[in-house]
Amino acid sequence: MISDPWLAQFAKTWQFTRSLSYDFIHVLKEEDLLYSPQLQFGTLGKHLRHVGDVQEIYVRALETGQVDFSKKRMDHTMESSLKRLEEHLREQDNYLYATLASFQKDPIKEQIAWPTTKLSVLEHLFLLPQHEAIHQGQWSLAARQAGIDLPKTWVDNWNL
């Protein structure tokens, strides 16, 4: 259980944001993971793997006090498997929630060092759903281009 009210509020926001990513995974077929609207964009499978890898970096920063994107996992073998991608995201969610539950410092006063600035833990955390939502917007466009139906939750929540 996450006892800090600020961290608990963040977890609620994150659960909603991540649920939309799971909903997207659930409308995809394995072959959809290979779709890329443009060479430099990367495949949908790469994007889904990437959001889990970035989440791991954010959570590790809660333990170390420093963001280090050079340590992304980048296991490309999961990029063609819906099952493995969902497992990766769920593993990262479990890591996040366990870390938030055990976090003992003040999330407003404690700082996380980024390459060019320092952010409070809370500021740092709220960049994570922002990152995920940026990718969800990219996925929405890619899905439309590929003829992939968007999840009902996306249509209902965002009137797409």
Side-chain angles (χ1 to χ4, degrees):
M1 181 169 141
I2 301 168
S3 59
D4 183 282
W6 291 108
L7 298 179
Q9 184 63 44
F10 164 77
K12 182 179 176 186
T13 299
W14 178 249
Q15 286 171 337
F16 173 73
T17 303
R18 178 49 64 85
S19 75
L20 297 171
S21 295
Y22 290 128
D23 292 344
F24 184 64
I25 288 172
H26 296 154
V27 300
L28 296 174
K29 300 183 217 83
E30 298 281 330
E31 58 267 21
D32 296 333
L33 295 173
L34 302 174
Y35 179 74
S36 175
Q38 197 264 343
L39 183 61
Q40 294 176 341
F41 182 82
T43 65
L44 288 173
K46 177 183 177 184
H47 277 252
L48 289 162
R49 188 255 321 140
H50 165 79
V51 296
D53 291 352
V54 167
Q55 180 180 354
E56 185 174 30
I57 298 300
Y58 272 74
V59 178
R60 191 177 302 127
L62 296 175
E63 299 168 341
T64 66
Q66 180 173 307
V67 170
D68 185 354
F69 287 107
S70 72
K71 298 195 177 183
K72 280 195 287 188
R73 178 190 316 211
M74 294 182 31
D75 176 1
H76 299 286
T77 64
M78 72 176 70
E79 294 176 8
S80 60
S81 168
L82 291 167
K83 181 178 187 276
R84 289 192 58 213
L85 287 166
E86 184 168 353
E87 287 171 353
H88 179 51
L89 297 185
R90 293 204 185 275
E91 176 186 312
Q92 296 313 315
D93 284 345
N94 291 336
Y95 178 35
L96 172 65
Y97 298 134
T99 302
L100 293 176
S102 66
F103 196 80
Q104 298 298 312
K105 299 173 184 169
D106 183 329
I108 296 172
K109 292 180 182 174
E110 186 67 22
Q111 300 280 298
I112 302 291
W114 278 67
T116 61
T117 193
K118 287 190 176 191
L119 299 171
S120 74
V121 164
L122 207 53
E123 291 168 320
H124 165 78
L125 284 171
F126 273 104
L127 290 177
L128 185 59
Q130 180 182 13
H131 175 260
E132 189 105 351
I134 287 168
H135 283 286
Q136 290 168 346
Q138 292 172 329
W139 303 339
S140 172
L141 180 59
R144 292 284 193 201
Q145 290 175 331
I148 300 166
D149 290 332
L150 297 177
K152 182 175 177 359
T153 52
W154 291 29
V155 173
D156 292 348
N157 283 301
W158 296 333
N159 199 29
L160 295 176

